[in-house]
Amino acid sequence: MFVLVCAGCGAELTTPLSQVSLPVHARQKYGNGAQLPVLLQSGTFAVDPDPWGGPWRMWDEIDPGEAEARGIYAPVYALSDSTPGASVIAPGDIRGTRLIPEKRGGACCGLDGADGPNMACEACDLPVATRVDDCSLWQAVRLSSDAVRRVPVDGIHATPLSWAELAEEGERIPPFEPIATWGGRLGSNHYWSWSPQWEAAAGQALAHLLVASQGQPVTVPGGLTADIFQRALDALLPAGRPKRRAVLAGPGQPSPDAGVGILLAPVHPQTGQTWTPAGPTASAYLVPLPLGVWLWLVSPQSYLPVPASGRIPQDVLRDDPLPLLPNYLFRADRGTFQHTLVRLPAVRSPWLRTILENLTQGTSADLF
């Protein structure tokens, strides 16, 4: 466990926090006017290894060698030149800070961090963090790595859960959820949608599936897994045989066949490490999936309404009639897909570069 303190005066800026991995949807921008919840659970923090926010440099201003040194192997619109390594926390865990009014940014419903750090240490007035809570963005506070220090909390040690414990106790993330929008005179509005977390998870996994395919057709398990991936794989990869096969693999699951070369495996939510198999499939390509998404795919839960009495509050979604399913086919998150693919060295292959160029030109709009 750690407390983050001001690098200028040493004042404590957070409650005690345990470290977790940065969620794959941390940089996601979802929909238009959507009210997204808090990115991280209270009491946790994650380190973002990449720079975030301004100042920015356009791609034609960056030497290819510098880009590769930063782990980027294909063109992007622009690159952040801010300091990497920010500590990301839930807004409710910040302490001893004040907002900087003139750093509101260009947001329409909240704060987007476009003007740089918008929170200062109350004790010494050093800008230390950026709060983000605008519409369509996940709510978080990002503490700058050059403005805060991490101090261990004596006597408190958080031991990561084992894979067996995660398989038994891990929280499943449903593929559908109500999305709240900014309410008007009639109060809050909601609509049923594919989960933003699933869309981001699919964006990351799809980039890895393309690399693992080596340009050959790929099949995934039927059911929900096929709903998420197969349409995009069939559109982006050539038709015909032989097809490479991807299967779900992880703790508590049967060992995959020796001939399977692609494994859809869970990511440890605390350490960020992808589950690794033993035996004949140890050399298979591991496609990472957030634990909550993976748990639902290997053990989906049916919707079982619970009878209730009394009146339902005005702002609570009814379960009678049952929630409607989304009225559109699943689409992976475009931004997460691109962010992942340009950071995989295999993207330098001509066929993958073509897929990336088609994405930036809008010719793959029906898939994302």
Side-chain angles (χ1 to χ4, degrees):
M1 301 281 289
F2 299 91
V3 169
L4 301 178
V5 303
C6 175
C9 67
E12 292 189 0
L13 301 178
T14 69
T15 60
L17 306 169
S18 60
Q19 187 168 1
V20 297
S21 65
L22 187 72
V24 66
H25 52 281
R27 294 170 176 263
Q28 183 183 30
K29 181 175 176 61
Y30 181 82
N32 181 23
Q35 289 181 306
L36 295 182
V38 173
L39 176 66
L40 292 171
Q41 289 185 349
S42 180
T44 66
F45 78 98
V47 176
D48 188 344
D50 294 324
W52 180 91
W56 297 89
R57 276 193 294 162
M58 306 302 292
W59 179 255
D60 57 10
E61 301 176 288
I62 300 170
D63 181 83
E66 178 189 351
E68 291 204 6
R70 294 177 58 171
I72 300 170
Y73 304 97
V76 295
Y77 179 73
L79 277 179
S80 169
D81 260 355
S82 67
T83 305
S87 295
V88 187
I89 69 172
D93 288 336
I94 196 74
R95 298 289 186 272
T97 60
R98 65 170 183 85
L99 287 172
I100 306 174
E102 58 271 23
K103 294 288 190 176
R104 183 179 182 275
C108 65
C109 301
L111 301 170
D112 64 1
D115 288 342
N118 54 27
M119 304 184 77
C121 173
E122 280 186 331
C124 69
D125 225 29
L126 176 71
V128 292
T130 303
R131 176 162 180 155
V132 177
D133 55 18
D134 195 18
C135 59
S136 299
L137 301 176
W138 291 87
Q139 299 178 44
V141 171
R142 308 177 67 93
L143 293 106
S144 305
S145 60
D146 54 356
V148 301
R149 292 184 294 107
R150 195 186 310 169
V151 178
V153 177
D154 293 337
I156 303 179
H157 303 281
T159 303
L161 296 174
S162 68
W163 280 114
E165 291 171 322
L166 289 171
E168 183 69 24
E169 305 171 12
E171 183 178 352
R172 291 167 172 78
I173 300 174
F176 315 112
E177 65 179 76
I179 303 297
T181 60
W182 291 104
R185 290 177 297 176
L186 299 179
S188 299
N189 298 313
H190 303 81
Y191 64 93
W192 280 92
S193 171
W194 292 97
S195 165
Q197 295 186 56
W198 277 66
E199 294 185 7
Q204 180 191 55
L206 182 59
H208 281 279
L209 280 168
L210 291 179
V211 171
S213 75
Q214 300 178 356
Q216 298 296 315
V218 171
T219 58
V220 298
L224 184 57
T225 307
D227 293 341
I228 300 302
F229 295 114
Q230 198 63 65
R231 186 171 70 96
L233 290 171
D234 291 345
L236 297 174
L237 295 172
R241 296 179 180 274
K243 289 189 174 184
R244 305 198 71 191
R245 188 160 60 99
V247 301
L248 292 160
Q253 299 300 302
S255 298
D257 297 336
V260 175
I262 306 173
L263 303 180
L264 297 160
V267 173
H268 198 293
Q270 294 169 297
T271 67
Q273 298 298 313
T274 304
W275 176 86
T276 303
T281 56
S283 61
Y285 190 107
L286 300 180
V287 175
L289 284 173
L291 178 70
V293 172
W294 180 86
L295 285 172
W296 192 284
L297 287 174
V298 298
S299 181
Q301 294 180 344
S302 59
Y303 180 84
L304 296 175
V306 178
S309 61
R311 300 183 62 182
I312 299 178
Q314 180 180 359
D315 199 38
V316 173
L317 290 177
R318 296 182 59 89
D319 59 4
D320 179 22
L322 296 179
L324 298 175
L325 297 180
N327 59 0
Y328 58 92
L329 296 175
F330 182 87
R331 296 181 180 183
D333 183 72
R334 174 194 295 264
T336 308
F337 172 79
Q338 184 178 18
H339 181 85
T340 303
L341 188 58
V342 300
R343 286 164 173 77
L344 298 176
V347 76
R348 291 175 291 198
S349 301
W351 69 275
L352 273 174
R353 186 63 64 88
T354 300
I355 289 176
L356 189 62
E357 291 172 354
N358 290 339
L359 177 67
T360 57
Q361 295 169 5
T363 55
S364 303
D366 60 329
L367 300 176
F368 297 93

